[in-house]
Coordinates of all heavy atoms in Angstrom, one line a residue:
M149 N 165.7 150.7 167.4 CA 164.4 150.8 166.6 C 164.2 149.5 165.8 O 165.1 148.8 165.5 CB 164.4 152.0 165.7 CG 164.3 153.3 166.3 SD 164.2 154.6 165.0 CE 162.4 154.8 165.0
D150 N 163.0 149.4 165.5 CA 162.6 148.2 164.7 C 163.0 148.4 163.2 O 162.8 149.5 162.7 CB 161.1 148.0 164.9 CG 160.6 146.6 164.3 OD1 161.4 145.7 164.3 OD2 159.5 146.6 163.9
D151 N 163.5 147.3 162.7 CA 163.9 147.4 161.2 C 162.7 147.7 160.3 O 162.8 148.3 159.3 CB 164.6 146.2 160.8 CG 166.0 146.1 161.4 OD1 166.6 147.2 161.8 OD2 166.6 145.0 161.5
A152 N 161.6 147.2 160.7 CA 160.4 147.4 159.8 C 160.0 148.8 159.8 O 159.6 149.3 158.7 CB 159.2 146.5 160.4
K153 N 160.2 149.5 160.8 CA 159.9 151.0 160.8 C 160.9 151.8 160.0 O 160.5 152.8 159.4 CB 159.8 151.5 162.3 CG 158.6 151.0 163.0 CD 158.5 151.6 164.4 CE 157.3 151.1 165.1 NZ 157.2 151.6 166.4
L154 N 162.1 151.3 160.0 CA 163.1 152.0 159.2 C 162.9 151.9 157.7 O 163.1 152.9 157.0 CB 164.5 151.5 159.6 CG 165.1 151.8 161.0 CD1 166.4 151.1 161.2 CD2 165.3 153.3 161.1
F155 N 162.5 150.8 157.3 CA 162.3 150.5 155.9 C 160.8 150.5 155.5 O 160.4 149.8 154.6 CB 162.9 149.2 155.5 CG 164.4 149.2 155.7 CD1 165.0 148.4 156.7 CD2 165.2 150.0 155.0 CE1 166.3 148.4 156.9 CE2 166.6 150.0 155.2 CZ 167.1 149.2 156.2
E156 N 160.0 151.3 156.2 CA 158.6 151.4 155.9 C 158.4 151.9 154.5 O 159.0 152.8 154.1 CB 157.9 152.3 156.9 CG 156.5 152.3 156.8 CD 155.8 153.1 158.0 OE1 156.2 152.9 159.1 OE2 155.0 154.0 157.6
R157 N 157.5 151.2 153.8 CA 157.2 151.7 152.4 C 156.3 152.9 152.4 O 155.5 153.1 153.3 CB 156.5 150.5 151.7 CG 157.4 149.3 151.6 CD 156.8 148.3 150.7 NE 156.9 148.8 149.4 CZ 156.9 148.1 148.3 NH1 156.9 146.8 148.4 NH2 157.0 148.6 147.1
F158 N 156.5 153.7 151.4 CA 155.7 154.9 151.3 C 155.1 154.9 149.9 O 155.7 154.3 148.9 CB 156.4 156.1 151.6 CG 157.6 156.4 150.7 CD1 157.5 157.2 149.5 CD2 158.9 155.8 150.9 CE1 158.5 157.4 148.7 CE2 159.9 156.0 150.1 CZ 159.8 156.8 148.9
A159 N 154.0 155.6 149.7 CA 153.3 155.7 148.4 C 153.9 156.8 147.7 O 154.0 158.0 148.1 CB 151.9 155.8 148.6
C160 N 154.4 156.6 146.4 CA 154.9 157.7 145.6 C 154.2 157.6 144.3 O 153.6 156.6 143.9 CB 156.4 157.5 145.4 SG 156.9 156.1 144.5
A161 N 154.2 158.7 143.6 CA 153.4 158.9 142.4 C 153.7 157.8 141.3 O 152.8 157.2 140.8 CB 153.5 160.3 141.8
P162 N 155.0 157.6 141.0 CA 155.3 156.6 140.0 C 154.9 155.2 140.4 O 154.4 154.4 139.6 CB 156.8 156.6 139.8 CG 157.2 158.0 140.2 CD 156.2 158.3 141.3
G163 N 155.0 154.9 141.7 CA 154.6 153.6 142.2 C 153.1 153.4 142.1 O 152.6 152.3 141.8
L164 N 152.4 154.4 142.4 CA 150.9 154.4 142.3 C 150.4 154.3 140.9 O 149.5 153.5 140.6 CB 150.3 155.6 143.0 CG 150.4 155.7 144.5 CD1 149.9 157.0 145.0 CD2 149.8 154.6 145.2
K165 N 151.1 155.0 140.0 CA 150.7 154.9 138.6 C 151.0 153.5 138.1 O 150.2 152.9 137.3 CB 151.5 155.9 137.8 CG 151.0 157.3 137.9 CD 151.9 158.3 137.2 CE 151.8 158.1 135.7 NZ 152.6 159.2 135.0
L166 N 152.1 152.9 138.5 CA 152.4 151.5 138.0 C 151.4 150.5 138.6 O 150.9 149.6 137.9 CB 153.8 151.1 138.5 CG 154.3 149.7 138.1 CD1 154.3 149.6 136.6 CD2 155.7 149.5 138.7
E167 N 151.0 150.7 139.8 CA 150.0 149.8 140.5 C 148.7 149.9 139.8 O 148.0 148.9 139.5 CB 149.9 150.1 142.0 CG 149.1 149.2 142.7 CD 149.1 149.5 144.2 OE1 150.1 149.8 144.8 OE2 147.9 149.5 144.8
A168 N 148.3 151.2 139.5 CA 147.0 151.4 138.8 C 147.0 150.8 137.4 O 146.0 150.2 137.0 CB 146.7 152.9 138.7
H169 N 148.2 150.9 136.7 CA 148.3 150.3 135.4 C 148.2 148.8 135.5 O 147.6 148.2 134.6 CB 149.6 150.8 134.8 CG 149.8 150.2 133.4 ND1 149.0 150.6 132.3 CD2 150.7 149.3 132.9 CE1 149.5 149.9 131.2 NE2 150.5 149.2 131.6
E170 N 148.8 148.2 136.5 CA 148.7 146.7 136.6 C 147.3 146.3 136.9 O 146.8 145.3 136.3 CB 149.7 146.3 137.8 CG 151.1 146.4 137.4 CD 152.0 146.1 138.6 OE1 151.5 146.0 139.8 OE2 153.2 146.0 138.4
R171 N 146.6 147.0 137.7 CA 145.2 146.7 138.0 C 144.4 146.8 136.7 O 143.5 146.0 136.4 CB 144.6 147.6 139.1 CG 145.1 147.1 140.5 CD 144.2 147.9 141.6 NE 144.1 149.3 141.3 CZ 144.7 150.2 142.0 NH1 145.4 149.9 143.1 NH2 144.5 151.5 141.8
L172 N 144.6 147.9 136.0 CA 143.8 148.1 134.8 C 144.1 147.0 133.7 O 143.2 146.5 133.1 CB 144.2 149.5 134.2 CG 143.4 149.9 133.0 CD1 141.9 150.0 133.3 CD2 143.9 151.3 132.5
T173 N 145.4 146.6 133.6 CA 145.8 145.5 132.7 C 145.1 144.3 133.1 O 144.6 143.5 132.3 CB 147.3 145.4 132.7 OG1 147.9 146.6 132.3 CG2 147.7 144.3 131.7
E174 N 145.0 144.0 134.4 CA 144.4 142.8 134.9 C 142.9 142.8 134.6 O 142.3 141.8 134.1 CB 144.6 142.6 136.4 CG 144.0 141.4 137.0 CD 144.3 141.2 138.5 OE1 145.2 141.9 139.0 OE2 143.6 140.5 139.1
V175 N 142.2 143.9 134.7 CA 140.8 144.0 134.4 C 140.6 143.8 132.9 O 139.7 143.1 132.5 CB 140.2 145.4 134.8 CG1 138.9 145.6 134.2 CG2 140.2 145.5 136.3
H176 N 141.5 144.4 132.0 CA 141.3 144.2 130.6 C 141.5 142.7 130.2 O 140.8 142.2 129.4 CB 142.4 145.1 129.9 CG 142.0 146.5 129.8 ND1 141.1 146.9 128.8 CD2 142.4 147.6 130.4 CE1 141.0 148.3 129.0 NE2 141.8 148.7 130.0
L177 N 142.5 142.1 130.8 CA 142.8 140.7 130.5 C 141.6 139.8 130.9 O 141.2 138.8 130.2 CB 144.1 140.2 131.1 CG 145.3 140.8 130.5 CD1 146.6 140.3 131.3 CD2 145.5 140.4 129.0
D178 N 141.0 140.1 132.1 CA 139.8 139.4 132.5 C 138.7 139.5 131.6 O 138.0 138.6 131.2 CB 139.4 139.8 133.9 CG 140.4 139.4 135.0 OD1 141.2 138.5 134.7 OD2 140.3 140.0 136.1
N179 N 138.5 140.8 131.1 CA 137.4 141.0 130.1 C 137.6 140.3 128.8 O 136.7 139.7 128.2 CB 137.2 142.5 129.9 CG 136.5 143.2 131.0 OD1 135.8 142.6 131.8 ND2 136.8 144.5 131.2
I180 N 138.9 140.3 128.3 CA 139.2 139.6 127.1 C 139.0 138.1 127.3 O 138.4 137.4 126.4 CB 140.7 139.9 126.7 CG1 140.8 141.4 126.2 CG2 141.1 139.0 125.6 CD1 142.2 141.8 126.0
S181 N 139.4 137.6 128.4 CA 139.2 136.1 128.7 C 137.7 135.8 128.7 O 137.3 134.8 128.1 CB 139.8 135.8 130.0 OG 139.6 134.4 130.3
A182 N 136.9 136.6 129.3 CA 135.5 136.4 129.3 C 134.9 136.4 127.9 O 134.0 135.6 127.6 CB 134.7 137.4 130.3
R183 N 135.3 137.4 127.1 CA 134.8 137.5 125.8 C 135.2 136.3 124.9 O 134.4 135.7 124.2 CB 135.3 138.7 125.1 CG 134.7 140.0 125.6 CD 135.2 141.2 124.9 NE 134.7 142.4 125.4 CZ 135.0 143.6 124.9 NH1 135.9 143.7 124.0 NH2 134.4 144.7 125.4
L184 N 136.4 135.8 125.1 CA 136.9 134.6 124.4 C 136.1 133.4 124.8 O 135.7 132.5 124.0 CB 138.3 134.4 124.6 CG 139.3 135.2 123.9 CD1 140.7 135.0 124.3 CD2 139.2 135.0 122.4
D185 N 135.7 133.2 126.1 CA 134.9 132.1 126.6 C 133.6 132.2 125.9 O 133.0 131.1 125.5 CB 134.8 132.1 128.1 CG 136.1 131.8 128.8 OD1 137.0 131.2 128.1 OD2 136.2 132.1 130.0
R186 N 132.9 133.3 125.9 CA 131.6 133.5 125.2 C 131.7 133.2 123.7 O 130.8 132.5 123.2 CB 131.0 134.9 125.4 CG 130.5 135.1 126.8 CD 129.7 136.4 126.8 NE 130.5 137.5 126.3 CZ 130.7 138.7 126.9 NH1 130.2 138.9 128.1 NH2 131.4 139.6 126.4
L187 N 132.8 133.6 123.1 CA 132.9 133.4 121.7 C 133.1 131.9 121.4 O 132.5 131.3 120.4 CB 134.1 134.1 121.1 CG 134.4 134.1 119.6 CD1 133.2 134.7 118.9 CD2 135.7 134.9 119.3
E188 N 133.9 131.2 122.2 CA 134.0 129.7 122.1 C 132.7 129.0 122.3 O 132.4 128.1 121.5 CB 135.0 129.2 123.1 CG 136.5 129.6 122.7 CD 137.5 129.1 123.8 OE1 137.0 128.5 124.8 OE2 138.6 129.4 123.6
E189 N 131.9 129.4 123.2 CA 130.6 128.8 123.4 C 129.7 129.0 122.2 O 129.0 128.1 121.7 CB 129.9 129.4 124.6 CG 130.5 129.0 126.0 CD 129.8 129.7 127.2 OE1 128.8 130.2 127.0 OE2 130.4 129.6 128.2
L190 N 129.7 130.2 121.6 CA 128.9 130.5 120.5 C 129.4 129.7 119.2 O 128.6 129.2 118.5 CB 128.9 132.0 120.1 CG 128.2 132.9 121.1 CD1 128.5 134.4 120.7 CD2 126.7 132.7 121.0
M191 N 130.7 129.5 119.1 CA 131.2 128.7 118.0 C 130.8 127.3 118.2 O 130.5 126.6 117.2 CB 132.7 128.9 118.0 CG 133.2 130.2 117.4 SD 135.0 130.5 117.4 CE 135.5 129.1 116.5
E192 N 130.8 126.7 119.4 CA 130.4 125.4 119.6 C 128.9 125.2 119.2 O 128.5 124.2 118.6 CB 130.6 125.0 121.1 CG 132.1 124.7 121.4 CD 132.3 124.4 122.9 OE1 131.3 124.2 123.6 OE2 133.4 124.4 123.3
R193 N 128.1 126.2 119.6 CA 126.6 126.1 119.3 C 126.5 126.1 117.8 O 125.6 125.4 117.2 CB 125.9 127.2 120.0 CG 125.7 127.0 121.5 CD 125.1 128.2 122.1 NE 123.8 128.6 121.5 CZ 123.3 129.7 121.7 NH1 123.8 130.6 122.6 NH2 122.1 130.1 121.1
L194 N 127.2 127.0 117.1 CA 127.1 127.1 115.7 C 127.6 125.8 115.0 O 127.0 125.4 114.0 CB 128.0 128.3 115.2 CG 128.0 128.6 113.7 CD1 126.6 129.0 113.2 CD2 129.0 129.7 113.4
E195 N 128.6 125.2 115.5 CA 129.1 123.9 115.0 C 128.0 122.9 115.1 O 127.8 122.1 114.2 CB 130.4 123.5 115.7 CG 131.0 122.3 115.1 CD 132.3 121.9 115.8 OE1 132.6 122.5 116.9 OE2 132.9 120.9 115.3
K196 N 127.4 122.8 116.3 CA 126.3 121.8 116.4 C 125.2 122.1 115.4 O 124.6 121.1 114.8 CB 125.8 121.9 117.9 CG 126.7 121.3 118.9 CD 126.1 121.5 120.3 CE 127.1 121.0 121.3 NZ 126.6 121.2 122.7
R197 N 124.8 123.3 115.2 CA 123.7 123.6 114.3 C 124.2 123.2 112.8 O 123.4 122.7 112.1 CB 123.4 125.1 114.3 CG 122.7 125.5 115.6 CD 122.4 127.0 115.5 NE 121.7 127.4 116.8 CZ 121.4 128.6 117.1 NH1 121.8 129.6 116.2 NH2 120.9 129.0 118.2
L198 N 125.4 123.5 112.5 CA 125.9 123.1 111.2 C 125.9 121.6 111.0 O 125.4 121.2 109.9 CB 127.4 123.6 111.1 CG 128.1 123.3 109.7 CD1 127.3 124.0 108.6 CD2 129.5 123.7 109.8
W199 N 126.3 120.9 111.9 CA 126.2 119.4 111.8 C 124.8 118.9 111.7 O 124.5 118.0 110.9 CB 127.0 118.7 112.9 CG 128.5 118.7 112.7 CD1 129.4 119.4 113.4 CD2 129.2 118.0 111.6 NE1 130.7 119.1 112.9 CE2 130.5 118.3 111.8 CE3 128.8 117.3 110.6 CZ2 131.5 117.8 110.9 CZ3 129.8 116.8 109.7 CH2 131.1 117.1 109.9
L200 N 123.9 119.5 112.5 CA 122.5 119.1 112.4 C 122.0 119.4 111.0 O 121.2 118.6 110.4 CB 121.7 119.9 113.5 CG 120.2 119.5 113.6 CD1 120.1 118.1 114.0 CD2 119.6 120.4 114.6
T201 N 122.3 120.5 110.4 CA 121.9 120.9 109.1 C 122.5 119.9 108.0 O 121.8 119.5 107.2 CB 122.3 122.3 108.7 OG1 121.8 123.2 109.7 CG2 121.9 122.7 107.3
V202 N 123.7 119.5 108.2 CA 124.3 118.6 107.3 C 123.6 117.3 107.4 O 123.3 116.6 106.3 CB 125.9 118.4 107.6 CG1 126.4 117.2 106.9 CG2 126.6 119.7 107.2
Y203 N 123.4 116.8 108.6 CA 122.7 115.5 108.7 C 121.2 115.6 108.2 O 120.8 114.6 107.6 CB 122.6 115.1 110.2 CG 124.0 114.6 110.7 CD1 124.3 115.0 112.0 CD2 124.8 113.9 110.0 CE1 125.6 114.6 112.5 CE2 126.1 113.5 110.5 CZ 126.4 113.8 111.8 OH 127.6 113.4 112.3
G204 N 120.6 116.7 108.3 CA 119.3 116.9 107.7 C 119.3 116.8 106.2 O 118.4 116.2 105.6
V205 N 120.2 117.5 105.6 CA 120.3 117.4 104.2 C 120.6 116.0 103.7 O 120.1 115.6 102.7 CB 121.4 118.5 103.7 CG1 121.7 118.3 102.2 CG2 121.0 119.9 103.9
V206 N 121.6 115.3 104.3 CA 121.9 114.0 103.9 C 120.7 113.1 104.1 O 120.4 112.2 103.2 CB 123.1 113.4 104.8 CG1 123.3 111.9 104.6 CG2 124.4 114.2 104.4
A207 N 119.9 113.2 105.2 CA 118.7 112.4 105.3 C 117.7 112.7 104.3 O 117.1 111.8 103.7 CB 118.1 112.7 106.7
A208 N 117.6 114.0 103.9 CA 116.6 114.3 102.8 C 117.0 113.7 101.5 O 116.2 113.2 100.7 CB 116.5 115.8 102.6
V209 N 118.3 113.8 101.2 CA 118.8 113.1 99.9 C 118.6 111.7 99.9 O 118.2 111.1 98.9 CB 120.3 113.5 99.7 CG1 120.9 112.7 98.6 CG2 120.4 115.0 99.4
L210 N 118.9 111.0 101.0 CA 118.7 109.6 101.1 C 117.3 109.2 101.0 O 116.9 108.2 100.4 CB 119.3 109.0 102.4 CG 120.9 109.0 102.5 CD1 121.3 108.5 103.9 CD2 121.4 108.1 101.4
A211 N 116.4 110.0 101.7 CA 115.0 109.7 101.6 C 114.5 109.8 100.1 O 113.7 109.0 99.7 CB 114.2 110.6 102.5
T212 N 114.9 110.8 99.4 CA 114.5 111.0 98.0 C 115.0 109.8 97.2 O 114.3 109.3 96.3 CB 115.1 112.4 97.5 OG1 114.6 113.4 98.3 CG2 114.6 112.6 96.1
G213 N 116.3 109.5 97.4 CA 116.8 108.3 96.7 C 116.1 107.0 97.0 O 115.8 106.2 96.1
L214 N 115.8 106.8 98.2 CA 115.0 105.6 98.6 C 113.6 105.6 98.0 O 113.1 104.6 97.5 CB 114.9 105.5 100.1 CG 114.2 104.3 100.7 CD1 115.0 103.0 100.3 CD2 114.1 104.4 102.2
Q215 N 113.0 106.8 97.9 CA 111.7 106.9 97.4 C 111.7 106.6 95.9 O 110.8 106.0 95.3 CB 111.2 108.4 97.6 CG 109.7 108.5 97.5 CD 109.3 109.9 97.9 OE1 110.1 110.9 97.7 NE2 108.1 110.1 98.4
S216 N 112.7 107.1 95.2 CA 112.8 106.8 93.7 C 113.1 105.3 93.5 O 112.6 104.7 92.5 CB 113.9 107.7 93.1 OG 115.2 107.4 93.6
I217 N 113.9 104.7 94.4 CA 114.2 103.3 94.2 C 112.9 102.5 94.4 O 112.6 101.5 93.7 CB 115.3 102.8 95.2 CG1 116.6 103.4 94.7 CG2 115.4 101.3 95.3 CD1 117.8 103.1 95.7
M218 N 112.1 102.9 95.4 CA 110.9 102.2 95.7 C 109.9 102.3 94.6 O 109.1 101.4 94.3 CB 110.2 102.7 97.0 CG 111.1 102.4 98.3 SD 111.3 100.7 98.6 CE 109.9 100.4 99.5
A219 N 109.9 103.5 93.9 CA 109.0 103.7 92.8 C 109.4 102.9 91.6 O 108.6 102.5 90.7 CB 109.0 105.2 92.4
A220 N 110.7 102.6 91.4 CA 111.2 101.9 90.3 C 111.0 100.3 90.4 O 111.0 99.6 89.4 CB 112.7 102.2 90.1
I221 N 110.9 99.8 91.6 CA 110.7 98.4 91.9 C 109.3 98.0 91.5 O 108.4 98.6 91.9 CB 111.0 98.0 93.3 CG1 112.5 98.3 93.7 CG2 110.7 96.6 93.6 CD1 112.8 98.1 95.2
P222 N 109.2 97.0 90.6 CA 107.8 96.5 90.2 C 107.2 95.8 91.4 O 107.9 95.1 92.1 CB 108.1 95.6 89.0 CG 109.5 95.2 89.1 CD 110.2 96.3 89.8
Q223 N 105.9 95.9 91.5 CA 105.2 95.2 92.6 C 104.6 94.0 92.2 O 103.9 93.6 91.4 CB 104.2 96.2 93.2 CG 104.9 97.4 93.8 CD 103.9 98.3 94.5 OE1 102.7 98.1 94.6 NE2 104.4 99.5 95.0

């Protein structure tokens, strides 16, 4: 007889439960990874908005300072 037939694998309940658990764990990890990727994208967008706000505030302060200097210079 062929050795492959002698040692043919069969499905048993504990093996099936383990396999199902491994598949479920893989799905959970994939979902967690996708959520982390979305969170990182959102954080990058928030960081860009924050820097844009900082630059806007600095520009407004500099414009106000320049305006007061221009008003103080005699013509």
Side-chain angles (χ1 to χ4, degrees):
M149 286 186 100
D150 190 29
D151 287 338
K153 290 183 180 179
L154 288 175
F155 299 110
E156 186 176 311
R157 297 188 72 152
F158 62 94
C160 63
L164 292 175
K165 285 174 68 175
L166 181 61
E167 186 177 317
H169 180 66
E170 288 173 351
R171 283 193 312 248
L172 186 62
T173 302
E174 185 178 339
V175 169
H176 281 281
L177 290 176
D178 289 343
N179 286 337
I180 289 172
S181 178
R183 286 181 182 179
L184 283 174
D185 290 341
R186 282 192 309 234
L187 186 60
E188 286 176 1
E189 289 176 15
L190 289 173
M191 286 176 58
E192 286 177 8
R193 287 175 51 197
L194 183 62
E195 184 180 7
K196 288 178 185 177
R197 288 180 184 175
L198 177 65
W199 281 113
L200 185 61
T201 303
V202 168
Y203 289 141
V205 169
V206 169
V209 169
L210 289 176
T212 304
L214 184 62
Q215 199 174 32
S216 64
I217 290 173
M218 295 298 273
I221 296 176
Q223 293 184 7

